[in-house]
Amino acid sequence: MNPADRASGDRPSATGTGTLRDMGGAAVPPPQHDPDGHVLVVDDEPMVREVVTAYLERDGLRVTVAADGAAALRMLDAARPDLVILDLMLPKVDGLSVLAHLRKTTDLPVIVLTARGEEPDRVLGLELGADDYVVKPFSPRELVARVRSVMRRSQPTVSVARIVHGDLMIDGASRETTVAGDPVALTAREFDLLAFLAASPRQVFRRGELLERVWDSSADYQDPSTVTVHIRRLRHKIEPDPDQPRHLVTVWGVGYRFDP
């Protein structure tokens, strides 16, 4: 099967006039002149890299590509991207190893690409610190929307107040979290989820609601288990006993709430 067909149902194609069109014949908008973000795309399939690059550039983003995990590791310091799109099935160095290295050295946002049916790898990727995932075959437009959502949420914001509950402090202005004065390293999505729940103490949210409010997504596009994995990771980072959480409480059959 052609890699582009696996990556997308709306593969772009060039016309004689140089216009890029999707499979429905609609013209893909031309790129903006001033890129407002830099994305490193890591995938071993040339057509996937081409398709993803075309759509990201036409959304105003600058793109660097790598064909394997070893090349990605070499490029990270030199390219200095704002976000990484990372296929998990890579030659030389696999995607999970690249992700583990990233999380030891940086809080750079990461979206992982997984093949349908690779749920264990997808869950492990989230547990290692991926901010989001997209399952192949995917729509490039949906991937661009996910990229924009993750990049938007990774930027500093002053819209969330400073929240203090006992030893736990969440500072929206600096996007810093501490427990008993010690800094806690959170990914952009982990911070957003924690801050969202803490801003509405004792209010229960279903997983679908959290996907909509925190991920700008829905269960139509994303597995609700994404929320479960992020809650589990947060408990290990902020709770004295993750098995008996004080703050991030499961309401069985409903969802999650934050208890002060």
Side-chain angles (χ1 to χ4, degrees):
M1 182 182 293
N2 189 309
D5 296 333
R6 294 202 299 271
S8 164
D10 49 2
R11 172 188 171 188
S13 60
T15 68
T17 60
T19 301
L20 196 70
R21 297 183 180 277
D22 63 24
M23 288 295 287
V28 180
Q32 300 176 16
H33 295 294
D34 298 317
D36 55 3
H38 182 196
V39 179
L40 174 61
V41 177
V42 188
D43 197 294
D44 61 327
E45 298 183 56
M47 191 59 72
V48 173
R49 296 196 302 271
E50 178 185 334
V51 170
V52 171
T53 295
Y55 273 82
L56 291 174
E57 287 182 343
R58 277 154 184 77
D59 199 59
L61 295 162
R62 183 162 63 93
V63 181
T64 299
V65 299
D68 58 66
L73 291 173
R74 290 194 303 270
M75 288 181 180
L76 280 168
D77 289 337
R80 302 184 66 83
D82 300 303
L83 179 142
V84 178
I85 296 175
L86 178 66
D87 186 23
L88 292 184
M89 301 298 292
L90 293 171
K92 298 185 180 179
V93 179
D94 65 83
L96 290 173
S97 297
V98 174
L99 178 57
H101 173 80
L102 276 168
R103 281 299 163 256
K104 289 178 182 177
T105 59
T106 179
D107 60 356
L108 195 66
V110 177
I111 297 176
V112 297
L113 303 180
T114 68
R116 198 175 299 278
E118 293 178 349
E119 184 176 357
D121 282 348
R122 184 164 68 245
V123 172
L124 182 55
L126 291 170
E127 289 179 338
L128 284 173
D131 295 89
D132 207 344
Y133 72 88
V134 175
V135 177
K136 295 180 179 179
F138 57 83
S139 161
R141 290 186 178 87
E142 172 65 16
L143 178 59
V144 171
R146 298 284 189 89
V147 168
R148 285 298 187 184
S149 172
V150 172
M151 291 182 72
R152 184 167 60 250
R153 292 183 178 279
S154 68
Q155 298 302 312
T157 176
V158 295
S159 60
V160 181
R162 183 184 178 96
I163 301 171
V164 179
H165 292 296
D167 289 338
L168 177 65
M169 186 281 295
I170 306 164
D171 192 319
S174 64
R175 293 183 68 85
E176 293 177 338
T177 302
T178 62
V179 175
D182 296 324
V184 178
L186 300 180
T187 67
R189 198 70 76 178
E190 288 170 349
F191 180 90
D192 290 328
L193 178 58
L194 178 61
F196 179 81
L197 290 169
S200 301
R202 297 190 177 88
Q203 182 174 344
V204 180
F205 293 93
R206 301 189 310 274
R207 292 191 301 176
E209 289 180 290
L210 293 171
L211 281 178
E212 293 175 4
R213 303 289 294 275
V214 179
W215 273 261
D216 286 342
S217 185
S218 73
D220 294 334
Y221 296 106
Q222 198 160 8
D223 190 339
S225 64
T226 300
V227 177
T228 304
V229 172
H230 278 74
I231 290 288
R232 183 162 63 242
R233 278 175 23 204
L234 279 170
R235 284 172 174 163
H236 280 278
K237 292 183 177 184
I238 72 165
E239 301 280 10
D241 182 357
D243 294 328
Q244 300 291 329
R246 169 188 171 187
H247 295 301
L248 297 174
V249 177
T250 299
V251 181
W252 294 105
V254 184
Y256 301 99
R257 71 169 188 259
F258 181 92
D259 283 354

